Amino acid sequence: DGVAVGGLIAALAQVAGPFTAAPIIDGREEPGRTRSVASPIDGAHLGHVTEAETASATRAMDAAAGGFAGWSATPAETRAACLDRAADAVEEQRETLLHLLQAEAGKTLDDALAEWRETIDFLRYYAAEGRRLFAEPLSLPGPAGETNSLTLRGRGVFAAISPWNFPLAIFTGQVAAALMAGNTVVAKPAPQTPLIAAHAVRLLQQAGVPNDALHLVPGGPEVGAALIAHPALAGVVFTGSTATARTINQALAARAGAILPLIAETGGINAMIVDATALPEQVADDVVSSAFRSAGQRCSALRLLLVQEDVADTMIAAIVGAAAELRVGDPRDLATDLGPVIDAAAKTRLDHYIAQIRPQARLHLAGTAPSGHYVMPHIIEIGRAGDLREEVFGPVLHVARYKAGSLTDALQEIRRGGYGLTLGIHSRIEALAVEVAAALPHGNVYVNRNMIGAVVGSQPFGGSGLSGTGPKAGGPHYLARFAIERTLTINTAAAGGTIGLITLEG
Ligand code: UN1
């Protein structure tokens, strides 16, 4: 195993750049003004991106509209086969993709491997789900003399807007779901991670996705706005901040014409509740991985730990002991636990947040980070659950104590916060876990384990309230939301019945 890992690391170091990204419209890469893409690890130049002008965003939408008739009429089996071939290609291109996940997104090898695996899982899962939902109309029961069936088909052009923290898995998952449902897609990756997105688009097209069914527009918010304003738009799938989801919602509401769906997965102030029966060592392990893995840059990450007062000192000591061992630095080094945060802006935001909260809170863990975009794990005690109002997207864990008997009040504060993504409970009293889960609207509840790393098909992922719209990615209800449904009711008892096939033209 050590030999295999050593070989893999050597292979990743051999992957040769530079990489490029540009608007990909009808399979052609558009020229334009380029900028350098720098690694969050050390600022190294990784390649160039040509960002889309709003005019090319509009052209991409036009091209996707042109591709819709053909792709939506392509048999579901053919569409699913494209996703399966893409999954094979992701497997085959493991070294390149792991290299890009590390270089462009700053991932540790563990995180990069998990994301690579999740990408394959999304492709295969949506292919299988697509065969289940789209291949044949679903026959439904009804009165005698009538047949009823339900058919799902694509809506039109989907805009897919994805984040930098899972630049391969979420990017590919959104695109795969929209395509499988029979839509054509214009994808806008996060400005921080265009190179891996361009690689994914080329890979999908080589796997058989037609050039006119999938288009890429690297760029910032103005590119997203151009997609959403385009008359051909039929729906939006978005993962990112709650604030951006709100902006998208407002832009959709301001459009003339059809009411369009937004499938949004956003942020959370994710809490974990630890009662007096919990096992300190297991709590320490699970808290440390939930709060600090991926440098806390997951929407699922633990932000707020609520510990029952009687055991709080013991629990906090165990957690601080474990977290103090974490190594921060170059994620390509196997001994590293936390790589960089994504860019200078993220580093500045986190440093400011820590500086302003320090005087009013009790600091259990801090430290001096290596130079570059690195942030040490922080554990900060605050007065009560309701004191934490914003999602802090990095390795900062907040802790608050609750009195035995006052858990309901703490839950009430969490509920009032309005987010509903992940929730952790550590307790050996099963009834408590069930009660806590029932009291809150959270989408993913984890009992006596860590609260990150939802597995496609087993742990459908997504929240409610400020955390998103649902349905859950990697779950059985996801694809249907990308489709329109038609119920067809035929009166088979009508005089003469039907008389066989006559085409519209004939
Ligand atoms: C995100 O961080 O944007 O369960 C969502 C998890 C991941 C979270 C992805 N699926 O940790």
Side-chain angles (χ1 to χ4, degrees), residues 351-364:
D351 286 350
H352 279 165
Y353 176 78
I354 292 163
Q356 63 82 31
I357 197 170
R358 264 180 109 126
Q360 26 169 338
R362 183 171 159 203
L363 210 59
H364 290 284

Side-chain angles (χ1 to χ4, degrees), residues 118 163 165-166 170 239 265 297-300 446 452-454 461:
E118 187 178 23
N165 70 335
F166 285 88
I170 293 182
T239 300
E265 200 257 278
Q297 301 176 106
R298 295 185 182 228
C299 61
S300 54
Y446 295 98
I452 56 167
F461 186 82

Side-chain angles (χ1 to χ4, degrees), residues 5-344:
V5 172
L8 179 57
I9 290 173
L12 299 188
Q14 295 299 307
V15 174
F19 296 87
T20 62
I24 305 178
I25 299 174
D26 277 329
R28 279 196 320 277
E29 312 218 355
E30 290 204 336
R33 208 147 40 85
T34 64
R35 72 169 168 82
S36 169
V37 179
S39 174
I41 299 173
D42 52 8
H45 168 78
L46 302 175
H48 281 103
V49 56
T50 304
E51 295 203 316
E53 309 275 329
T54 54
S56 40
T58 303
R59 270 200 303 286
M61 291 296 289
D62 290 337
F68 178 65
W71 181 246
S72 61
T74 300
E77 175 50 43
T78 309
R79 302 200 303 258
C82 288
L83 301 194
D84 278 335
R85 277 193 303 273
D88 295 342
V90 171
E91 297 211 43
E92 282 154 22
Q93 296 178 35
R94 183 177 72 157
E95 281 73 18
T96 306
L97 292 166
L98 292 177
H99 170 86
L100 278 166
L101 284 166
Q102 293 210 289
E104 194 178 27
K107 301 232 164 189
T108 61
L109 186 59
D110 264 6
D111 280 349
L113 278 164
E115 179 163 1
W116 170 73
R117 174 47 60 192
E118 187 178 23
T119 307
I120 298 162
D121 289 348
F122 271 135
L123 287 162
R124 296 210 195 286
Y125 180 77
Y126 292 140
E129 282 293 295
R131 291 183 172 103
R132 179 175 73 83
L133 287 167
F134 290 86
E136 295 290 335
L138 180 67
S139 298
L140 300 171
E146 211 172 87
T147 62
N148 293 288
S149 66
L150 188 67
T151 307
L152 274 70
R153 59 192 164 129
R155 290 174 179 269
V157 180
F158 251 82
I161 302 177
S162 52
W164 48 261
N165 70 335
F166 285 88
L168 183 63
I170 293 182
F171 178 86
T172 307
Q174 290 181 345
V175 166
L179 287 172
M180 185 62 242
N183 304 285
T184 54
V185 181
V186 178
K188 190 193 86 61
Q192 292 88 344
T193 52
L195 301 178
I196 197 158
H199 193 90
V201 166
R202 294 180 199 117
L203 178 155
L204 282 154
Q205 290 180 334
Q206 281 154 18
V209 174
N211 287 348
D212 61 0
L214 173 60
H215 313 267
L216 181 76
V217 287
E222 58 313 321
V223 173
L227 304 183
I228 289 162
H230 194 281
L233 186 75
V236 181
V237 54
F238 168 75
T239 300
S241 73
T242 304
T244 302
R246 204 182 288 290
T247 304
I248 294 173
N249 227 346
Q250 280 161 350
L252 288 173
R255 287 171 52 104
I259 312 295
L260 302 184
L262 167 63
I263 301 167
E265 200 257 278
T266 61
I269 298 184
N270 310 309
M272 182 189 282
I273 290 140
V274 175
D275 82 357
T277 69
L279 303 170
E281 272 182 31
Q282 198 192 336
V283 168
D285 265 9
D286 292 341
V287 166
V288 165
S289 68
S290 302
F292 301 127
R293 188 161 171 191
S294 315
Q297 301 176 106
R298 295 185 182 228
C299 61
S300 54
L302 170 61
R303 310 291 180 204
L304 172 63
L305 183 70
L306 288 170
V307 195
Q308 207 227 289
E309 197 176 53
D310 307 336
V311 294
D313 287 335
T314 320
M315 292 289 178
I316 293 170
I319 294 162
V320 168
E325 300 292 313
L326 295 171
R327 298 232 218 142
V328 178
D330 189 324
R332 293 165 301 194
D333 178 346
L334 267 192
T336 293
D337 300 294
L338 280 76
V341 296
I342 191 66
D343 58 15

Side-chain angles (χ1 to χ4, degrees), residues 452-464:
I452 56 167
V455 173
V456 172
S458 304
Q459 292 144 1
F461 186 82
S464 70

